[in-house]
């Protein structure tokens, strides 16, 4: 169902031509890919707005639409026609011309104008203990950079640079196409000079005249304590160099935290499992428990049951920003001795004979036990 054109532009049905134009420019500013790169629907929204503008800014078409709606327009021969534009930027230049939008928008998006460099993504892997303490890492990657020999102008130093013969220095070529709703002027970046408007007579040998080289970059990245697997660190302006004076792209460092065989991570908490032999769990003992700072002795109380959990406060992961340091939860796995010698077997048989109901009686009541199980 096509939406109502007045609704799309957010104007009343008696809006005059200037209001139509103003509403469309305002929408275009909001939907421009330079501002709104993160809205996946921006292109579709802009196409809707462009279609509404095309109809409402044309007196004949508007009259037809007012009288007969979308159907009337279709039977009158109007067909929205934006499918053949390669990208939303092309669509923008079709509507606003090469320089036309610049006044509205203040630079950017102009064919042949400054273009921001692309972003670079690199991944680093660190240990869990490093994720807890934080770490400085050096990342290396290839990125487009301005050529040092020609300083980006593409000419062998000391040689002249001519005005581009194809575009006469404008950096753009204009193509006029006829559509159902009249002439549409599209501009494209000049294919000879690449939008610079200037062509070096003797191209720089290091960059073959492009002004750009690929450079190996090294960047120190501070990974903050508490980082989780899969989080990204954003470092601005360390990506590919921009074109024609545009700013650099950004660097994104994806942090992978390697799995640690001793710990499971549960948010800020760590969970570990320790084995305690059944007789020691019955008698009580002290065991070594691994922590991120090395093993520490932990007391296991007499009568500790399988699956019981001890909590070592503050032995988990630090908070990434604000908050408290997590805990280390220690799950006791009571192990039953296997492969008994005949002597052990005799002792255990005598021990088994000595068992009474009182040995199986729990210290905590039924309700307390249920609560513990449900909370665990
Ligand atoms: Zn060069
Ligand atoms: Zn040119």
């Amino acid at each position: 169902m096509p939406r109502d054109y007045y609704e799309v532009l957010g104007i009343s049905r008696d809006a005059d031509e200037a209001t139509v134009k103003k509403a469309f420019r305002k929408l275009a500013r909001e939907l421009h890919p330079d501002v709104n790169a993160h809205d996946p629907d921006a292109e579709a929204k802009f196409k809707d707005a462009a279609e509404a503008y095309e109809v409402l800014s044309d007196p004949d078409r508007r009259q037809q639409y007012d009288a007969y709606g979308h159907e009337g327009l279709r039977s009158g021969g109007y067909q929205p026609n934006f499918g053949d534009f390669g990208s939303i930027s092309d669509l923008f230049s079709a509507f606003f011309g090469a320089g036309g939008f610049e006044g509205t928008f203040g630079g950017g998006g102009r064919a042949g104008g400054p273009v921001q460099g692309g972003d670079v993504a690199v991944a680093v892997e660190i240990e869990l203990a490093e994720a807890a303490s934080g770490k400085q890492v050096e990342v290396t990657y290839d990125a487009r950079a301005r050529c040092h020999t020609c300083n980006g102008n593409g000419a062998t130093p000391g040689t002249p640079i001519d005005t581009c013969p194809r575009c006469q220095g404008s950096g753009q070529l204009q193509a006029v196409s006829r559509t159902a709703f009249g002439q549409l002027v599209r501009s494209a970046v000049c294919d000879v000079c690449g939008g610079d408007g200037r062509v070096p007579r003797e191209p720089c040998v290091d960059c073959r005249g492009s002004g750009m080289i690929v450079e190996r970059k090294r960047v120190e990245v501070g990974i903050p304590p508490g980082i989780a697997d899969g989080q990204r660190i954003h470092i601005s302006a360390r990506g590919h160099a921009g074109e024609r004076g545009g700013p650099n792209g950004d660097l994104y460092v994806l942090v992978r935290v390697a799995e640690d065989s001793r710990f499971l991570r549960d948010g800020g908490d760590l969970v570990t499992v320790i084995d305690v032999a059944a007789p020691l769990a019955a008698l009580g003992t002290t065991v070594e428990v691994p922590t991120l700072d090395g093993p520490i002795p932990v007391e296991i109380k007499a009568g500790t049951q399988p699956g019981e959990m001890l909590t070592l406060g503050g032995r988990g992961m630090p908070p990434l920003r604000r908050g408290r340091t997590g805990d280390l939860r220690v799950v006791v796995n009571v192990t039953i001795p296997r492969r008994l010698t005949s002597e052990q077997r005799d002792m255990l048989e005598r021990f088994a004979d000595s068992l009474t109901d009182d040995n199986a009686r729990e210290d905590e009541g039924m309700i307390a036990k249920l609560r513990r199980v449900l909370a665990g």
Side-chain angles (χ1 to χ4, degrees), residues 99-224:
F101 200 59
E102 210 180 14
T104 326
F105 194 64
R110 193 177 79 104
V115 178
Q116 179 165 17
D119 295 335
V120 170
V122 293
V124 292
E125 187 176 90
I126 59 172
E127 301 294 325
L128 182 67
E130 294 169 339
S133 60
K135 196 190 184 194
Q136 284 288 120
V137 295
E138 187 185 73
V139 295
T140 56
Y141 56 97
D142 292 329
R144 272 163 55 94
R146 188 183 297 157
C147 174
H148 304 295
T149 309
C150 62
N151 204 22
N153 71 19
T156 298
T159 66
I161 297 175
D162 298 330
T163 299
C164 173
R166 182 144 160 78
C167 63
Q168 273 83 47
S170 70
Q172 295 144 31
L173 301 174
Q174 303 220 316
V176 178
S177 58
R178 294 208 153 267
T179 69
F181 45 90
Q183 272 192 355
L184 214 51
V185 179
R186 301 171 59 177
S187 41
V189 176
C190 173
D191 53 355
V192 170
C193 62
D196 286 343
R198 291 146 26 107
V199 184
R201 211 174 285 174
E202 282 180 46
C204 164
V205 288
D206 289 332
C207 61
R208 297 208 190 89
S210 69
M212 288 285 174
I213 53 166
V214 173
E215 205 170 53
R216 194 89 183 136
K217 304 264 189 194
R218 285 172 203 286
V219 173
E220 279 277 313
V221 180
I223 297 176

